[in-house]
């Protein structure tokens, strides 16, 4: 009797200890996020008088208007989406095609080609920055969004090919043979059989690549110059210069810049985490 | 890692019989070749060709306007006497050790704590994980507000009576680099945690049972069961850390641009400012080659591993 009650008590203590430790950790991690949310809703005077760390004494949504309109974040967000969405779609389509060819057919040198493509993605981007900026000048696309889309696709594709190749290889060859006997060509096999079976990997990779591309700064400031064309990351840095130490506006800008990826994360959390396990290269 | 498939996925259905002809058609249909060549072409244009040029440019002096002038290894000789390069190299190593080491340790710790399936654990995981989806630029600006002279950190120190520690964290050469590492860590730990969580899930519970029966305490179970079982995840985390450290750019660039007086300069930021602000494209390329050489070991071991897995 008393033995069980000791066990129960010990278990309860362990549970309490767990929630205390994990809770403290979670609070520590969420605190900066809470701070930026609160700051984005305070007025400039409130912060100037009472300081950033003080309890908020004002409430305004005007910071968002300033960041959105005066700070050009509306345009920047549109730029980001104009770059990110086609990039995700095109990169994954191209990668799925290449992975299909390499995993389901006896392409000569397929293994070397696969590793060559993966190797391209593993290169430190720094080695590419100067040539890529010069190349986009040469092609007449410097300081345009297509240049950014192009380099994001070219740089990303190798990694997705590798991951999808692993997935497609695991699909039993009999399925494909049955389809061949039924008279299916490569296109039908790809579109009607392999692609549907690869959906989990595609979902994971799209959630992941959305955040990678959306959050990128380095490529953007390498091939873009004018403020009007910057995606949200570049614009946020611009905002910092434009609204020096107006933390309310800068915080509102950060919230705007983070919102899309947070939405994707909350909506596709499971895929996202699966993708990270697939995608540990980055 | 298929490269890095989660452990539970590393054992797919037994591979189909390995005849020469096992995988579909013998001759590659033209459409399939096109499927392969189009992506390859995209990567060739934007990666392989520029990479070759990058290596060549490292051997030149170039202002981006007139023709590049071939100087052989001159850029690398110059590095030997370049104080800023030395600072950046030392900082990069520091970054690797501190940012890398701490994110691995904290990530493992968080994974160990949060691996138990309890009520509410999903919330804690999500909390630690949420920063992973933020851009480093947004992350950096948040922390800049924290580090301001009248910012939250200083106000906090004051309120607990540690006025003497008040600091212009980002403007002080002694603290700038460390102040930049914290937000980078804040963002990275959740990511490493996810990798370790997947690894821990892959460990056979029978091993722990057996160790318990043999009288192993919690520490011994960790030391002799968990750690050895995590070996492949450790390899993944190590590669991720090294590659991420060498690529780290956004957070430093948005917080300090490498300053004050290059005190938080990393090779990646120095490369960027040399190339695109000082317009010394040849020297910048040479710095990029140094980054490549440092990353090469990781890349090579990745490819070796991938080579083994690819067939």
């Amino acid at each position: 009797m008393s033995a069980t009650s000791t066990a129960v008590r010990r278990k309860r203590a362990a549970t309490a200890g767990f929630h205390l430790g994990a809770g403290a950790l979670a609070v520590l991690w969420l605190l900066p996020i809470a701070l930026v949310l609160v700051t984005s809703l305070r007025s400039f005077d409130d912060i100037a008088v009472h300081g950033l760390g003080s309890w908020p004494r004002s409430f305004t949504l005007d910071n968002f208007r300033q960041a959105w309109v005066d700070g050009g974040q509306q345009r920047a967000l549109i730029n980001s989406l104009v770059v990110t969405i086609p990039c995700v779609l095109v990169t994954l389509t191209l990668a799925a095609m290449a992975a299909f060819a390499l995993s389901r057919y006896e392409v000569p040198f397929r293994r070397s080609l696969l590793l060559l493509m993966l190797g391209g993605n593993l290169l430190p981007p720094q080695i590419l920055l100067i040539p890529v900026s010069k190349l986009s000048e040469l092609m007449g696309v410097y300081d345009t969004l297509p240049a950014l889309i192009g380099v994001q696709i070219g740089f990303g594709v190798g990694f997705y090919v590798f991951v999808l190749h692993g997935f497609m290889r695991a699909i039993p060859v009999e399925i494909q043979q049955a389809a061949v006997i039924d008279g299916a060509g490569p296109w039908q096999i790809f579109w009607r059989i392999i692609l549907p079976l690869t959906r989990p990997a595609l979902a994971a990779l799209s959630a992941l690549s959305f955040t990678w591309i959306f959050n990128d700064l380095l490529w953007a400031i390498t091939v873009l110059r004018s403020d009007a064309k910057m995606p949200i990351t570049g614009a946020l840095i611009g905002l910092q210069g434009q609204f020096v130490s107006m933390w309310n506006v800068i915080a509102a800008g950060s919230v705007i810049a983070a919102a899309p990826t947070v939405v994707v994360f909350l909506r596709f959390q499971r895929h996202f985490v699966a993708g990270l396990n697939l995608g540990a290269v980055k | 890692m298929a490269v890095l498939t989660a452990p539970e996925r590393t054992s797919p259905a037994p591979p189909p019989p390995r005849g020469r002809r096992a995988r579909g058609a013998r001759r590659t249909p033209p459409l399939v070749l096109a499927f392969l060549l189009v992506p390859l072409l995209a990567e060739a244009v934007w990666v392989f060709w520029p990479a070759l040029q990058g290596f060549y440019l490292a051997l030149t002096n170039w202002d981006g306007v007139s023709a590049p002038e071939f100087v052989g290894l001159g850029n690398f000789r110059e590095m030997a006497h370049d104080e800023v390069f030395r600072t950046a190299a030392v900082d990069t190593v520091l970054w690797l050790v501190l940012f890398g080491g701490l994110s691995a340790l904290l990530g493992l710790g968080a994974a160990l704590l949060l691996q138990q399936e309890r009520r509410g654990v999903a919330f804690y995981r999500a909390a630690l994980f949420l920063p992973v989806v933020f851009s480093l630029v947004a992350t950096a600006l948040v922390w800049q507000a924290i580090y301001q002279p009248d910012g939250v950190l200083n106000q906090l120190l004051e309120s607990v009576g540690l006025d003497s520690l008040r600091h212009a964290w980002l403007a002080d050469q002694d603290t700038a680099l460390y102040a930049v590492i914290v937000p980078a860590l804040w963002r990275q730990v959740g990511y490493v945690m996810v990798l370790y969580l997947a690894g821990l899930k892959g460990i056979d519970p029978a091993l722990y049972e057996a160790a318990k029966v043999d009288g192993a305490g919690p520490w011994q179970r960790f030391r002799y069961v968990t750690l050895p079982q995590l070996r492949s995840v450790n390899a993944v985390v190590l590669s991720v850390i090294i590659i991420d450290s060498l690529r780290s750019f956004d957070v430093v660039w948005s917080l300090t641009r490498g300053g004050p007086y290059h005190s938080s300069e990393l090779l990646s930021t120095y490369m960027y400012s040399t190339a695109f602000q000082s317009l010394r494209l040849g020297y910048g390329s040479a710095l990029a080659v140094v980054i490549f050489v440092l990353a090469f070991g990781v890349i090579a071991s990745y490819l070796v591993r991938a080579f083994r897995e690819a067939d």
Side-chain angles (χ1 to χ4, degrees):
Chain A
M1 195 59 198
S2 73
T4 46
S5 76
T6 324
V8 166
R9 213 175 303 144
R10 190 174 298 163
K11 202 168 164 209
R12 232 177 248 160
T15 308
F18 167 77
H19 285 291
L20 217 63
L25 207 61
V27 167
L28 200 66
W29 244 249
L30 292 177
L31 218 54
I33 300 173
L35 177 80
V36 71
L37 281 175
V38 170
T39 308
S40 72
L41 297 171
R42 293 174 65 186
S43 72
F44 178 72
D45 295 337
D46 176 14
I47 295 172
V49 174
H50 303 288
L52 269 168
S54 84
W55 203 247
R57 292 171 176 80
S58 56
F59 178 87
T60 170
L61 289 173
D62 192 54
N63 305 325
F64 285 92
R65 191 195 56 75
Q66 281 195 41
W68 187 253
V69 182
D70 309 340
Q73 285 225 306
Q74 180 187 17
R75 203 177 41 213
L77 191 65
I78 293 172
N79 289 342
S80 275
L81 293 176
V82 166
V83 170
T84 308
I85 292 171
C87 271
V88 171
L89 292 177
V90 175
T91 317
L92 285 176
T93 306
L94 289 179
M97 284 164 36
F100 172 69
L102 290 171
S103 65
R104 311 301 295 183
Y105 291 88
E106 298 235 331
V107 179
F109 307 110
R110 55 196 165 144
R111 195 152 67 156
S112 314
L113 286 173
L114 179 68
L115 294 178
L116 181 71
M117 294 186 87
L118 175 66
N121 177 266
L122 291 175
L123 284 177
Q126 286 86 0
I127 192 88
L128 306 175
L129 294 183
I130 296 168
V132 160
S133 83
K134 289 297 154 191
L135 180 71
S136 56
E137 271 175 29
L138 216 66
M139 288 164 53
V141 290
Y142 182 72
D143 198 21
T144 66
L145 295 184
L148 187 55
I149 295 176
V151 65
Q152 292 280 14
I153 291 173
F155 190 68
V157 77
F159 174 68
Y160 305 116
V161 169
F162 190 80
V163 174
L164 291 173
H165 172 269
F167 246 82
M168 291 182 182
R169 229 163 49 98
I171 297 171
V173 74
E174 287 77 12
I175 297 181
Q176 189 169 349
Q177 280 164 347
V180 171
I181 291 168
D182 289 346
W187 173 258
Q188 273 140 338
I189 296 172
F190 173 65
W191 188 250
R192 313 262 300 260
I193 298 172
I194 303 297
L195 219 47
L197 288 171
T198 319
R199 248 178 38 208
L202 286 172
L205 288 178
S206 11
L208 203 60
S209 65
F210 181 90
T211 59
W212 280 342
I213 298 171
F214 190 89
N215 286 339
D216 164 75
L217 172 72
L218 189 52
W219 290 119
I221 59 179
T222 301
V223 297
L224 301 178
R225 171 141 303 211
S226 40
D227 289 339
K229 300 201 174 105
M230 278 293 166
I232 195 91
T233 45
L236 201 53
I237 289 196
L239 200 69
Q240 188 191 7
Q242 189 184 342
F243 291 88
V244 189
S245 72
M246 287 183 69
W247 292 109
N248 48 340
V249 181
I250 296 173
S254 305
V255 172
I256 294 172
T261 51
V262 171
V263 169
V264 167
F265 167 63
L266 294 177
R267 175 73 187 73
F268 300 103
Q269 194 172 356
R270 202 165 45 84
H271 295 307
F272 194 90
V273 171
L276 275 195
N277 285 317
L278 288 172
V281 167
K282 301 242 163 172
Chain B
M1 12 197 222
V3 187
L4 303 159
T5 328
E8 63 265 33
R9 223 182 263 117
T10 39
S11 48
R18 246 331 123 71
R20 275 249 116 206
R21 245 159 266 168
R23 284 187 200 293
R26 234 172 307 167
R27 252 179 354 115
T28 318
L31 180 71
V32 171
L33 270 187
F35 267 23
L36 177 61
L37 290 180
V38 173
L40 204 58
L41 187 72
E43 198 174 354
V45 169
W46 289 105
V47 178
F48 299 135
W49 173 239
L52 292 177
Q53 278 187 310
F55 288 113
Y56 168 71
L57 288 175
L59 307 174
T60 66
N61 268 341
W62 192 29
D63 56 10
V65 182
S66 45
E69 170 205 352
F70 189 82
V71 293
L73 296 176
N75 286 324
F76 297 94
R77 272 195 290 276
E78 184 181 336
M79 269 177 225
H81 308 289
D82 182 348
E83 287 293 332
V84 182
F85 169 73
R86 206 167 306 156
T87 315
V90 170
D91 283 353
T92 302
V93 172
L94 252 177
W95 185 271
L96 197 74
V97 172
L98 279 178
F99 165 77
L102 286 174
S103 60
L105 280 178
L106 293 172
L108 177 60
L112 287 171
L113 180 68
L114 298 180
Q115 65 166 324
Q116 8 187 350
E117 294 301 335
R118 285 169 183 269
R119 197 180 306 163
V121 77
F123 168 77
Y124 299 131
R125 284 185 198 157
L128 244 66
F129 191 69
L130 194 56
V132 179
V133 303
F134 291 163
S135 71
L136 275 165
V137 181
T139 302
L141 293 185
V142 175
W143 284 83
Q144 197 162 43
I146 294 177
Y147 286 135
Q148 282 307 295
D150 62 345
V152 178
L153 183 58
N154 281 337
Q155 287 182 350
L156 198 76
L157 286 172
E158 200 170 343
S159 67
V160 296
L162 290 169
D163 295 44
S164 54
L165 289 177
R166 286 182 56 112
H167 226 75
W169 299 95
L170 290 169
D172 184 327
Q173 294 183 54
D174 294 330
T175 54
L177 183 68
Y178 305 101
V180 177
I181 285 181
V182 174
L185 270 178
W186 177 71
R187 191 172 172 280
Q188 186 86 352
V189 167
Y191 176 20
V192 177
M193 176 188 76
V194 168
L195 298 179
Y196 274 123
L197 276 176
L200 289 171
K201 213 183 278 174
I203 300 178
D204 186 352
L207 292 173
Y208 289 107
E209 291 303 324
K212 239 185 208 169
V213 170
D214 289 345
W219 166 250
Q220 281 169 317
R221 288 202 296 273
F222 174 71
R223 171 75 188 77
Y224 295 107
V225 179
T226 311
L227 276 188
Q229 290 288 314
L230 285 179
R231 198 180 304 162
S232 68
V233 185
N234 281 331
V236 172
V237 171
L238 190 73
S239 328
V240 168
I241 281 170
I242 295 177
I243 290 184
D244 274 358
S245 299
L246 291 169
R247 285 182 180 181
S248 287
F249 173 81
D250 315 30
V251 69
V252 183
W253 194 254
S254 28
L255 271 176
T256 64
R257 308 251 144 110
Y261 305 108
H262 303 291
S263 61
S264 60
E265 196 82 83
L266 299 181
L267 285 174
S268 60
T269 55
Y270 186 43
M271 183 268 150
Y272 185 86
S273 60
T274 306
F276 295 102
Q277 296 187 324
S278 318
L279 291 180
R280 300 195 54 206
L281 300 185
Y283 195 55
S285 298
L287 290 167
V289 168
V290 171
I291 297 175
F292 169 79
V293 169
L294 290 176
F296 182 77
V298 179
I299 299 174
S301 62
Y302 240 109
L303 291 181
V304 167
R305 207 184 274 244
F307 198 75
R308 259 192 257 124
E309 285 202 11
D311 230 301

